[in-house]
Amino acid sequence: MTDTTQVKAAKDVVKDLQAEYYAEANRAHEEGKLVAWVTSIAPREFLEAMDIVTIYPENHAAAIAAKKGSMEMLDIAESMGYSIDICSYARVNLGYVEAGDSAAGKVPYPDLLFCCNNICDTVTKWYEILSRRLNVPLIMIDLPFSHFDQPQEHTIDYIVGQFENAIKQLEEITGKPFNYEKFQHCLELSNQASTLWKESFEMGKNKPCPFNGLDYFNYMAQIVCSRGNEKAVYFFQLLKDEIAAKVAAGEGYIQDEQYRILWDGIPFWYNLRVMAKSLKDRKAVQVASTYTENWALTYDTTDLRSMAKAYMGNFTNREFEFRFNNMCRIIREYSCDGVILHSNRSCKNQDFAMYELARQVTKATGVPVAIVDGDQDDPRAFSEAQYETRIQALFEMIDQRREAK
Amino acid sequence: MSKVEEILSELGYVAHHPARMVEQWKKETGGKAVGIMPIHCAEEVVHAAGMLPVGMWGGQTSISLAPEYLQSFCCSIMKAVMEFTMSGAYKNLDAIICPETCDTLRVIPLMMRKAIPQTPIIGVVLPDNRKIDAGIKYTAAEYRSIVKQLEQITGNPVKDEDLQNSVEIYNEHHAAMMEFFKVAVDHCDIITPYNRHMVIKSSYFMPKEKHTVLVKALIDELIKLQPSQFKGHKVVVTGIMSEPDELLEMFGKYGYAIVADDLAQGSRQFRTPAPADDDPYIRLGKRLANFEGCSCVYDPEKLRGKLLKQLVDETQADGVVVLMMKFCDPEEYDYPFIKQDLEEAGIPHLYLEIEQQMESSEQVQTRLQAFAELLEERKN
Ligand code: SF4
Ligand code: SF4
C-alpha cells in the first residue's frame, strides 16, 4: 500500500490493491510461503491465521473474463473433456491450470486447497479435480444446505468438528502449531471488515443512490480475498467514508435517478459494459444486489458455533422462504422499482429456483422482474440483443405500473 | 415359460408399474408409501418405519408442465420428476425424501414443496466429510431426524431394533444383488442388458424382503443352467442410469452384454454393506464412510477410474460404456479423469450422452455399432 492511495477514490484504490495482491502472492510464493486456492465464501480466517497466501480461482476466472480471455481457457478445458454444461468458472480455472498464464496474468499454483461448499456443490467437484490434478491436499469444509429456517444443532456440531479437523490438517501441512492468538485477531478483523462492507452497501438505500452498484462487483474482490486482515478493514473504512460523504452532500451516482434496480446473481464479467450502459441510458441505477450481501458475514468471535452458523447462512445454501423473504426485504428497504435475475447457465443452484422466485416476488411486492439468460464467464451463452429486449420490457413494465398508480 | 422367464417377467412387470405396486402395497398392508429421490438415502429408515420406500428416478414422459419451474438445461431425470410431481403422478406417496446430491437437487425439493404443498418433502443432506468421526455422527443424526419426521406421519415410534432389523434385511438384499450380478456374467444370453435392468429397477418398487426372495430364486435357477458361450461384446457401464428401455434394447441389438455396472441406480446402491455396530444409525454412517467411487459422494482421490478398471479385470470385459446423463454436473466433472484412467489402462471406452426422454436414437445406434466394430477388431 502506498500513501498516495489515500487521496484516490475507492474505485481506483481497489484496482491498486488487486494488482498488488497478485504481485504479492506471486512474490510470496517464490519466497516459499504456502499458497492455498480457496472458494469465495470460505472461512479464510483459518488460513490467514497460519500466514497462508490465499488465491481465489473464482475471482481470477472473473478477471480473466473481464479481460476477454475466458474463451481461450474454456477451449482448453473443453478439449480435455470438460462439458460445456458445467460452471464456466470451473472450466476457466481448469483451463488455466494447463495454460499457466492468462489475460488477467498469473497466479501461483497452490500447495493446498481449501474448499467450502456453502455456495454450491460444483466447487466440491471442481476442487476434487484440482486436488488430483495438482497432487495437493484438499481441506474440505462442508456446510450443509439448510432445509430449516434455523440450522439444526447436529449440523453445527458437524461443522465445528470439521473446523477442528481443518486445524489439524493445517498443522500437518504447515508443520507448525495452529496460531490461536492470530486466529482470534483475524476473526475480529473479519467481522470489522464485513460490518464496514455492509454499512457501505446499505447506503444504497439513500435517494439518490450514492454509488453505482456495479462498482460493488469490483469491491467484492477485497471482501473475498482480504476479509480477516488489516487491508480489508482499511479499504472498507475508506469506501464507507467516501460514500457517507456523498450521502451527506446529497450526491448521487445519477443525480436525477429515474429507476432503482436490484440485480440478482453474478454479472456477465465479459460484458459489464452492456450492463452499465443499459442502466445508465435509462437513468437507472443498480442500488442493491443479492450477491454482495453474501459477504455481510458477522458472528460472535468467541464462539465457533456462531461462526459455523454465519458461514452456512448465505442464501444459496438455504431453503426457498429465506431466498424469497430476503429478496422482498431488499426490494422494500432499497425502494427498488425492478429486479433483474440472471439465469446463469453456470449456476444451477441459483437458476432452478428462479422462475418460482420471480413469480412469488412479483406477486408479493408488485415489482416487475426480468429474467435474463447468460453466463458469468462464457460469452457464448449471452446474446446482447436478447438482453436488451428483456431489459426494455422490464422498464416498460415499471412505467406501466407507475402510470397505473 | 421356464422358471427363469417367469421370475424375469414378474420383475419386469413390477419395474413398469410403480403406481400399481404402491396401490397394491397400500391395499394389502394398510401402510403408507414414501418416495425416495436419487441418489443416496438409506431406504432402511423408511422400511423401519413400516412404510414402502419407492425409488423416484424419473421416467419416460413428455415434458410439458416442468418448464414452469425449470430451465431447459436441467437434467432429464429431474425434469421428469417435476413433470410427474405436477401431473399428480406422486399423489399416492405420503411423503418424499430428497437427498442433496448436486446443485440441482438442492433446489428440486424446494420446488416440489411449492408444486405439491400437501405432501411432506423431507430434505436430507449427507456429509462430504463422511469419514471423520464428526461426519459419521452427523450422518447418524440426519437419519434420526428423518425418522422423527416419519414418525409424525405414521404416528408410530421407530425403535432401534426396528432399524437394526431393516439394516439386516437390506444387507441381505444388497448381497443378493451383487451375487446375481456375478452369476449373470455366465448367462449373458438370458440376462440381457434389458433383463438385467429389470432386476435392478424392480427393487425400487417392492418390499426388499420379497425382492430378495425372487433374486435368490433367479440365482438358483441360473446356476442350474449351463454357462452360455457368449460371443458378443462384454462391457461395463458407468453413469447415473441405463434408461430408457430402448437404449438397453439397442445394447442387445448390437450384441452387447452388460457384465458389471457402476450406475448410481445400480451397484452403487448395493456394493457397500453396512458394517456391524450397536447403534443402527451409526451403521448407516459407517456405510457411507466406506462407500467409494460415486460422482455424488466426496472423493478427492477420484477413485472411479481405478474402480472401473477393477470391474473390467474381474469380469474380463472388453470395454466400458460411459452413459453420460446430459446436464448432470457431478458425472460431467468426473468424466475427464475416467477417460484418462481408462486410456492409461488400455481399456477402450465409449462416451454416450443420454437423456431419459431420448428423442432421436439414431446417433446412439451409430455410436454403439461403431464401438461394437472397434471391440470386434481388437479381438482379432
Ligand atoms: S458460479 Fe455458481 S456453480 Fe459456479 S462456482 Fe459460483 S456458485 Fe458455484
Ligand atoms: S444432475 Fe445428475 S446427480 Fe443431480 S439430479 Fe440430475 S442426474 Fe442426478
Side-chain angles (χ1 to χ4, degrees):
Chain A
M1 253 177 282
T2 50
D3 285 330
T4 54
T5 56
Q6 297 290 343
V7 292
K8 284 191 182 172
K11 222 173 139 174
D12 300 315
V13 177
V14 79
K15 273 189 205 145
D16 295 346
L17 284 175
Q18 212 45 30
E20 258 176 53
Y21 180 77
Y22 283 133
E24 246 175 56
N26 282 314
R27 205 163 45 236
H29 182 57
E30 277 159 26
E31 286 163 7
K33 258 198 178 184
L34 290 181
V35 173
W37 283 10
V38 186
T39 55
S40 56
I41 321 183
R44 67 177 303 285
E45 294 87 333
F46 289 99
L47 302 166
E48 187 75 41
M50 294 303 273
D51 231 5
I52 292 169
V53 177
T54 59
I55 291 291
Y56 295 82
E58 291 157 73
N59 283 11
H60 190 229
I64 292 172
K67 297 265 187 217
K68 314 276 183 231
S70 55
M71 264 325 296
E72 190 191 340
M73 302 295 137
L74 293 170
D75 282 340
I76 299 173
E78 285 158 25
S79 73
M80 292 163 73
Y82 288 105
S83 164
I84 190 167
D85 301 324
I86 61 173
C87 171
S88 54
Y89 276 170
R91 270 180 291 143
V92 164
N93 178 248
L94 293 168
Y96 174 80
V97 165
E98 305 307 320
D101 203 353
S102 75
K106 292 183 189 193
V107 291
Y109 282 101
D111 302 294
L112 69 146
L113 301 158
F114 194 77
C115 176
C116 180
N117 63 358
N118 49 358
I119 47 176
C120 61
D121 290 315
T122 285
V123 288
T124 313
K125 298 305 298 175
W126 169 8
Y127 277 61
E128 283 176 355
I129 293 166
L130 289 174
S131 178
R132 181 170 154 183
R133 170 64 185 84
L134 298 167
N135 195 21
V136 289
L138 166 51
I139 299 178
M140 181 72 210
I141 306 286
D142 173 24
L143 298 185
F145 179 87
S146 182
H147 284 279
F148 303 90
D149 58 350
Q150 288 301 318
Q152 295 182 291
E153 284 306 309
H154 70 256
T155 306
I156 304 286
D157 292 341
Y158 168 49
I159 299 170
V160 172
Q162 293 180 79
F163 285 168
E164 285 158 1
N165 194 56
I167 288 175
K168 260 191 250 145
Q169 286 175 282
L170 283 170
E171 288 180 332
E172 274 164 31
I173 294 166
T174 59
K176 287 187 284 194
F178 189 70
N179 191 339
Y180 286 94
E181 211 174 300
K182 184 157 183 216
F183 180 61
Q184 193 56 41
H185 188 51
C186 295
L187 297 180
E188 277 145 26
L189 290 174
S190 173
N191 275 267
Q192 276 177 36
S194 293
T195 305
L196 289 165
W197 162 256
K198 185 164 184 260
E199 287 169 350
S200 76
F201 72 64
E202 283 192 337
M203 284 189 272
K205 292 174 188 171
N206 287 286
K207 284 184 185 174
C209 178
F211 54 68
N212 173 9
L214 287 167
D215 288 342
Y216 267 82
F217 293 130
N218 296 324
Y219 303 150
M220 209 157 51
Q222 281 307 304
I223 196 72
V224 168
C225 72
S226 300
R227 197 179 65 260
N229 67 30
E230 277 87 4
K231 268 191 196 166
V233 175
Y234 156 80
F235 175 71
F236 289 112
Q237 186 65 54
L238 181 105
L239 178 66
K240 187 188 147 187
D241 293 347
E242 183 184 293
I243 299 173
K246 286 190 181 155
V247 172
E251 214 180 290
Y253 164 61
I254 298 173
Q255 207 57 36
D256 58 336
E257 68 182 24
Q258 301 296 312
Y259 304 95
R260 300 168 61 82
I261 300 297
L262 163 64
W263 167 271
D264 177 65
I266 308 176
F268 323 111
W269 291 112
Y270 44 84
N271 215 337
L272 286 168
R273 181 192 49 81
V274 77
M275 293 171 65
K277 189 172 179 315
S278 70
L279 294 181
K280 201 160 184 197
D281 285 354
R282 296 174 169 93
K283 295 196 173 171
V285 53
Q286 181 188 309
V287 294
S289 139
T290 50
Y291 197 39
T292 38
E293 291 236 339
N294 280 331
W295 290 270
L297 262 167
T298 50
Y299 47 85
D300 174 355
T301 56
T302 62
D303 182 9
L304 282 181
R305 298 181 78 81
S306 164
M307 185 182 182
K309 226 168 139 173
Y311 270 102
M312 71 183 283
N314 53 294
F315 74 92
T316 51
N317 208 28
R318 296 174 76 155
E319 39 80 57
F320 186 82
E321 301 318 312
F322 182 85
R323 300 183 192 202
F324 164 72
N325 288 324
N326 192 46
M327 196 170 273
C328 294
R329 173 189 62 78
I330 298 175
I331 290 171
R332 215 175 40 242
E333 288 180 359
Y334 291 77
S335 326
C336 297
D337 304 301
V339 184
I340 305 174
L341 300 166
H342 177 189
S343 173
N344 178 351
R345 277 298 291 260
S346 277
C347 202
K348 298 186 169 79
N349 177 13
Q350 288 200 54
D351 291 331
F352 295 153
M354 194 169 278
Y355 291 176
E356 179 67 2
L357 200 58
R359 280 191 291 271
Q360 301 257 348
V361 165
T362 303
K363 201 167 137 203
T365 64
V367 169
V369 173
I371 295 180
V372 296
D373 295 321
D375 185 281
Q376 83 260 13
D377 257 34
D378 190 337
R380 289 168 296 186
F382 178 71
S383 147
E384 200 166 323
Q386 196 199 57
Y387 178 74
E388 197 36 61
T389 312
R390 301 257 170 96
I391 296 295
Q392 180 62 28
L394 174 71
F395 283 95
E396 281 165 14
M397 282 190 287
I398 298 175
D399 288 341
Q400 275 167 18
R401 186 170 175 243
R402 281 184 178 165
E403 278 160 27
K405 265 187 185 170
Chain B
M1 221 195 272
S2 75
K3 195 86 206 293
V4 170
E5 282 166 337
E6 254 172 53
I7 299 172
L8 287 175
S9 120
E10 183 175 351
L11 295 177
Y13 177 85
V14 172
H16 285 116
H17 298 89
R20 231 170 279 173
M21 297 310 294
V22 172
E23 255 166 57
Q24 192 183 321
W25 153 269
K26 289 195 159 188
K27 213 159 47 209
E28 280 171 11
T29 67
K32 295 186 187 295
V34 175
I36 300 196
M37 297 271 281
I39 285 181
H40 298 292
C41 170
E43 283 188 10
E44 286 89 333
V45 288
V46 173
H47 186 270
M51 299 160 132
L52 179 71
V54 185
M56 295 173 70
W57 294 72
Q60 269 178 291
T61 173
S62 62
I63 301 293
S64 63
L65 303 168
E68 195 181 321
Y69 286 96
L70 299 172
Q71 284 91 330
S72 59
F73 48 88
C74 176
C75 68
S76 58
I77 303 189
M78 287 308 135
K79 272 191 200 147
V81 163
M82 236 16 238
E83 186 74 23
F84 286 138
T85 303
M86 295 168 79
S87 70
Y90 297 146
K91 63 180 185 306
N92 250 339
L93 298 176
D94 299 282
I96 292 171
I97 299 181
C98 198
E100 191 247 19
T101 291
C102 59
D103 285 332
T104 304
L105 274 168
R106 281 192 183 202
V107 188
I108 296 293
L110 316 188
M111 297 304 102
M112 288 177 118
R113 286 185 188 128
K114 296 294 162 197
I116 43 168
Q118 67 282 5
T119 306
I121 310 291
I122 301 173
V124 51
V125 185
L126 296 175
D128 285 333
N129 279 313
R130 59 206 166 91
K131 291 175 192 280
I132 63 173
D133 195 43
I136 293 172
K137 284 191 185 134
Y138 168 75
T139 308
E142 273 295 283
Y143 283 129
R144 263 189 220 104
S145 157
I146 299 182
V147 165
K148 284 224 178 69
Q149 296 174 67
L150 294 175
E151 284 173 342
Q152 276 174 3
I153 294 166
T154 61
N156 299 324
V158 176
K159 295 194 287 294
D160 278 7
E161 302 99 85
D162 300 333
L163 185 58
Q164 279 289 9
N165 181 41
S166 300
V167 173
E168 289 304 329
I169 287 170
Y170 272 72
N171 266 356
E172 191 184 347
H173 176 258
H174 295 174
M177 288 302 286
M178 294 313 286
E179 176 67 19
F180 162 70
F181 293 148
K182 227 190 253 165
V183 172
V185 174
D186 286 333
H187 302 280
C188 294
D189 51 341
I190 306 171
I191 306 302
T192 59
Y194 175 82
N195 283 337
R196 189 179 184 280
H197 180 57
M198 290 305 115
V199 177
I200 294 173
K201 194 169 181 185
S202 54
S203 76
Y204 286 94
F205 310 129
M206 64 194 290
K208 290 295 178 289
E209 41 281 68
K210 273 196 185 168
H211 197 257
T212 306
V213 172
L214 287 170
V215 173
K216 283 187 174 171
L218 183 60
I219 294 170
D220 289 344
E221 292 304 316
L222 287 173
I223 289 173
K224 283 184 210 157
L225 304 173
Q226 280 290 327
S228 74
Q229 297 300 318
F230 183 70
K231 292 277 184 299
H233 320 291
K234 295 184 172 181
V235 289
V236 172
V237 291
T238 184
I240 298 292
M241 56 161 50
S242 57
E243 290 189 4
D245 286 354
E246 298 108 70
L247 173 73
L248 291 165
E249 277 154 9
M250 274 186 253
F251 267 84
K253 182 174 158 199
Y254 291 107
Y256 288 94
I258 293 174
V259 288
D261 81 79
D262 163 52
L263 297 174
Q265 197 185 19
S267 354
R268 288 188 205 165
Q269 301 293 329
F270 311 124
R271 66 186 177 218
T272 312
D277 197 281
D278 291 340
D279 180 341
Y281 294 94
I282 293 289
R283 293 184 78 175
L284 301 178
K286 286 186 176 165
R287 176 170 69 202
L288 182 65
N290 292 344
F291 175 65
E292 294 300 352
C294 173
S295 59
C296 296
V297 166
Y298 179 56
D299 172 22
E301 292 172 71
K302 312 241 41 94
L303 294 168
R304 227 171 121 190
K306 235 189 232 169
L307 191 127
L308 287 170
K309 181 178 180 305
Q310 202 180 318
L311 284 178
V312 167
D313 291 346
E314 279 165 16
T315 55
Q316 301 281 301
D318 305 309
V320 170
V321 180
V322 177
L323 296 171
M324 182 57 70
M325 179 63 67
K326 179 106 182 97
F327 299 121
C328 173
D329 281 351
E331 289 288 316
E332 287 173 341
Y333 277 104
D334 270 6
Y335 175 64
F337 272 127
I338 291 177
K339 176 172 181 269
Q340 183 187 320
D341 289 344
L342 292 176
E343 280 169 2
E344 277 170 17
I347 300 167
H349 81 277
L350 173 67
Y351 175 94
L352 214 51
E353 207 162 72
I354 60 163
E355 293 200 82
Q356 247 186 345
Q357 294 81 42
M358 281 207 312
E359 271 159 20
S360 127
S361 55
E362 256 167 60
Q363 220 207 345
V364 174
Q365 293 213 30
T366 318
R367 308 209 50 202
L368 275 174
Q369 197 175 0
F371 189 59
E373 282 161 17
L374 178 114
L375 295 180
E376 200 52 49
E377 270 167 36
R378 279 173 59 101
K379 275 182 202 159
N380 303 327

